Amino acid sequence: MDLRQRPRNPNRHQELEPPGSATLKTSDEARSASPIPKASDALPLPLYVTNTIFFTLFFSVAYFLLHRWRDKIRNSVPLHVVTLSEIAAIVSLIASFIYLLGFFGIDFVQTFIARASNEPWEDEEADEAGACANERFRPSAAAAVARMADRTPPPDSEDDEEVIRAVVDGTVPSYSLESKLGDCRRAAAIRREALQRGTGKSLEGLPLDGFDYESILGQCCEMPVGYVQIPVGIAGPLMLDGVEYWVPMATTEGCLVASTNRGCKAIYASGGATSMLLRDGMTRAPVVRFGSVKRASELKFFLEDPANFDTLSVVFNRSSRFAKLQGIQCSIAGKNLYMRFTCSTGDAMGMNMVSKGVQNVLDYLVSDFPDMDVIGISGNYCSDKKPAAVNWIEGRGKSIVCEAIIKEEVVTKVLKTTVASLVELNMLKNLVGSAVAGALGGFNAHASNIVSAVFIATGQDPAQNIESSHCITMMEAVNGGKDLHISVTMPSIEVGTVGGGTQLASQSACLNLLGVKGANKESPGANSRQLGSIVAGAVLAGELSLMSAIAAGQLVKSHMKYNRSSRDISQLSSQS
């Protein structure tokens, strides 16, 4: 939830005060009016020690009483006849139960009370109040947090210092700072300082200012302490399907953007590249278990029966107006059934969308298959963020082929090599060499380099580079052996133009540069499909340039030029 839209609560100061304490107005008043509070209200010990004592006491006396009562039943002794030790045990049991109920029960009850509220911000504030009570805030820290949450004058450095000490001491949970303070940037600064004090390690050099921390709240990153700077270069223009694109690439590898840019130049000089979308569907594969192989097989036949597809589609598509079930592919391993659902997801990458649809179908199947035990919403038959043959063969996300014919004079003048050399190198390196290595989807020179750079620049999930970089690069001499036909086939490019990191300002700007920002209202899904084609086109350019550099023997020379600054070289020479 955006904290900027969050209404102020006039009772927030009172919610953040520990039980039994007076209203805390300023940290100075709190310090003068009350002595330094103890870590625990029950015992003059640290909170975790007190909790351990009462936990141990509760279970120990409960075990003791159960054994004594069992012996009485065996010996026909009335239960109401108790000894002094049993009376002491009963009193200890009640005391420990009251302590544990007071410590953990308040938060549990307040959570349910908060959930009954119609206002979303009341949920968070009730939880925060319960957390404050149960963590036994020091009055001064609670006052500082309450003043910050009010947002009316900005807090001074003394207020920050109070909260930093509370975080270091463990009194205030670090993860709750954003909701308690109401200021995401200040929360990041306080968390950062508390981390430095707690670890004794400096974060100097990690930027803090210049970033909109509210934009990542609840969707991109938790507990931020800064941000990492990754330079963004531009390769292009890439002529693809008759349109020029300037491709943003976020990378720290020298020579990568320059090499891709050279490939774009060669493609442009040869008339451009063409792409074809073969499939477009995100997958999710839950795993369920039955008591027998027979029952697992019955569900497999039910799901794959075309007569049931329309009904399952209606159930699945309830998750979103963009979710459209395309098919279900099942695989059995003993009594376990893996169901691979494929659906279109509009302009979103779609993992959450397809997961909701799968959950709808699982809930629907329970009525006809009550003995079905759902082990997990994902059984790795999807397969997400892992190299897998099922993605290589069946596809996941966008399955795209991109091709271009590079003229002989371009190969000679721009790429500094020959068509015959490229064709031979591609066969021995990308095809035979990868086969010798036992590669899975890795029949290419460096597709993942380009995919990762474009993914980071445009707000995609970098971890999905694993399956999105599945690529086979083909090269063939055409037009009487004079020109070069090059193509990349990429069966599982997983991209979206809405949701996740695409909404952040920098990544949104890169998507805007490509003309694919946000959702396409006229043709849902068109922007994400276009982005997938751009990724494939950029890979085509990167493959062409790198292969040419290797064929011409320029690889080491190029990396020495772009990967080594003069400053590093002078330092190395002075040290040697």
Side-chain angles (χ1 to χ4, degrees):
M1 184 182 67
D2 192 345
L3 292 178
R4 291 171 293 185
Q5 300 175 358
R6 189 176 187 178
R8 287 169 49 189
N9 187 346
N11 299 321
R12 189 171 178 88
H13 288 271
Q14 298 176 3
E15 291 175 353
L16 290 171
E17 294 171 357
S21 66
T23 302
L24 304 173
K25 296 181 180 179
T26 66
S27 57
D28 293 335
E29 293 175 1
R31 285 192 295 269
S32 61
S34 61
I36 298 175
K38 298 174 182 178
S40 170
D41 293 337
L43 295 174
L45 296 171
L47 189 59
Y48 73 94
V49 176
T50 305
N51 289 343
T52 302
I53 291 174
F54 278 99
F55 264 114
T56 304
L57 181 64
F58 178 81
F59 289 107
S60 298
V61 297
Y63 181 81
F64 170 75
L65 290 173
L66 287 174
H67 272 267
R68 293 300 297 267
W69 291 340
R70 184 187 64 179
D71 293 339
K72 288 184 178 182
I73 292 173
R74 288 178 176 176
N75 300 325
S76 300
V77 177
L79 294 178
H80 64 273
V81 178
V82 294
T83 63
L84 184 62
S85 61
E86 291 172 344
I87 294 175
I90 292 173
V91 172
S92 299
L93 182 69
I94 295 173
S96 58
F97 177 77
I98 291 174
Y99 173 83
L100 295 175
L101 180 65
F103 190 84
F104 296 102
I106 293 174
D107 184 50
F108 181 78
V109 172
Q110 288 184 341
T111 300
F112 276 89
I113 294 174
R115 287 179 181 173
S117 171
N118 292 326
E119 300 296 339
W121 54 80
E122 291 180 6
D123 267 357
E124 298 181 6
E125 295 190 350
D127 289 342
E128 292 161 16
C132 290
N134 293 330
E135 291 292 340
R136 305 297 194 267
F137 273 24
R138 298 183 303 170
S140 57
V145 172
R147 285 197 306 279
M148 287 186 174
D150 195 13
R151 296 199 219 175
T152 39
D156 54 28
S157 58
E158 184 178 353
D159 293 330
D160 287 348
E161 183 63 29
E162 292 285 356
V163 182
I164 291 170
R165 286 203 298 264
V167 174
V168 172
D169 294 344
T171 311
V172 177
S174 177
Y175 62 81
S176 66
L177 288 175
E178 279 78 6
S179 59
K180 293 185 185 304
L181 304 182
D183 187 326
C184 293
R185 192 273 175 197
R186 184 173 292 120
I190 289 175
R191 180 182 297 112
R192 177 190 180 105
E193 180 59 27
L195 179 64
Q196 292 184 128
R197 295 186 189 182
T199 63
K201 303 294 178 61
S202 173
L203 288 177
E204 184 180 359
L206 181 68
L208 176 68
D209 294 321
F211 188 82
D212 182 9
Y213 291 95
E214 293 191 0
S215 65
I216 65 173
L217 183 64
Q219 69 172 2
C220 290
C221 180
E222 297 76 40
M223 301 177 66
V225 294
Y227 60 96
V228 174
Q229 296 169 311
I230 300 179
V232 177
I234 294 295
L238 170 66
M239 178 64 73
L240 179 65
D241 299 323
V243 180
E244 294 183 4
Y245 297 100
W246 294 90
V247 183
M249 301 175 65
T251 181
T252 56
E253 179 181 351
C255 206
L256 178 60
V257 178
S259 177
T260 307
N261 188 67
R262 185 175 74 147
C264 291
K265 179 181 179 181
I267 292 172
Y268 193 98
S270 299
T274 304
S275 67
M276 290 296 298
L277 178 77
L278 306 180
R279 285 185 296 261
D280 181 10
M282 183 50 63
T283 63
R284 174 60 85 198
V287 53
V288 299
R289 182 170 58 197
F290 288 90
S292 67
V293 173
K294 181 176 182 295
R295 285 293 287 163
S297 301
E298 288 175 357
L299 178 54
K300 170 181 167 65
F301 297 143
F302 176 85
L303 292 172
E304 294 181 344
D305 187 347
N308 299 323
F309 182 78
D310 289 341
T311 301
L312 295 172
S313 294
V314 171
V315 175
F316 183 97
N317 297 345
R318 291 174 186 166
S319 62
S320 170
R321 62 192 179 99
F322 298 110
K324 303 297 179 185
L325 183 64
Q326 297 174 347
I328 307 173
Q329 180 182 0
C330 297
S331 182
I332 284 183
K335 301 183 296 181
N336 307 305
L337 178 64
Y338 297 82
M339 304 169 282
R340 193 172 191 260
F341 291 78
T342 306
C343 80
S344 60
T345 58
D347 283 306
M349 184 269 288
M351 286 298 301
N352 291 335
M353 195 182 300
V354 67
S355 297
K356 292 176 184 177
V358 168
Q359 188 63 56
N360 289 344
V361 174
L362 292 176
D363 294 340
Y364 170 78
L365 293 173
V366 169
S367 58
D368 292 328
F369 296 89
D371 54 335
M372 178 180 69
D373 183 12
V374 179
I375 304 301
I377 191 69
S378 174
N380 275 9
Y381 186 44
C382 312
S383 172
D384 185 43
K385 299 180 176 71
K386 290 165 284 291
V390 68
N391 291 337
W392 177 244
I393 297 170
E394 299 293 336
R396 189 172 195 253
K398 277 69 176 169
S399 299
I400 297 173
V401 180
C402 190
E403 66 174 352
I405 296 178
I406 309 301
K407 297 177 181 179
E408 182 182 25
E409 57 268 26
V410 174
V411 174
T412 303
K413 295 180 180 180
V414 177
L415 302 176
K416 311 298 182 183
T417 185
T418 64
V419 172
S421 298
L422 283 172
V423 171
E424 181 182 33
L425 176 64
N426 186 73
M427 180 186 67
L428 295 179
K429 171 181 166 63
N430 289 341
L431 304 183
V432 178
S434 295
V436 171
L440 176 59
F443 298 89
N444 59 80
H446 70 150
S448 63
N449 245 340
I450 291 87
V451 172
S452 295
V454 178
F455 269 30
I456 295 172
T458 58
Q460 311 305 310
D461 187 343
Q464 289 183 324
N465 164 69
I466 295 175
E467 60 268 41
S468 296
S469 295
H470 282 242
C471 171
I472 181 168
T473 301
M474 303 290 291
M475 293 186 184
E476 179 184 353
V478 295
N479 299 331
K482 295 190 303 180
D483 300 333
L484 175 73
H485 179 275
I486 178 174
S487 67
V488 292
T489 303
M490 306 181 70
S492 50
I493 301 177
E494 299 166 357
V495 293
T497 58
V498 297
T502 66
Q503 302 178 68
L504 301 181
S506 301
Q507 290 82 344
S508 180
C510 291
L511 289 171
N512 187 57
L513 175 66
L514 294 171
V516 295
K517 177 182 175 180
N520 191 307
K521 297 181 180 179
E522 297 179 357
S523 178
N527 282 358
S528 63
R529 290 191 290 270
Q530 186 176 347
L531 178 58
S533 295
I534 293 170
V535 171
V539 169
L540 183 73
E543 290 287 281
L544 179 61
S545 183
L546 177 59
M547 292 294 289
S548 299
I550 296 174
Q554 298 174 338
L555 180 63
V556 175
K557 180 180 178 181
S558 299
H559 275 274
M560 288 303 296
K561 177 181 178 181
Y562 289 97
N563 278 10
R564 299 289 187 270
S565 68
S566 58
R567 180 178 58 184
D568 291 337
I569 293 175
S570 64
Q571 289 175 352
L572 288 173
S573 61
S574 64
Q575 293 172 0
S576 58

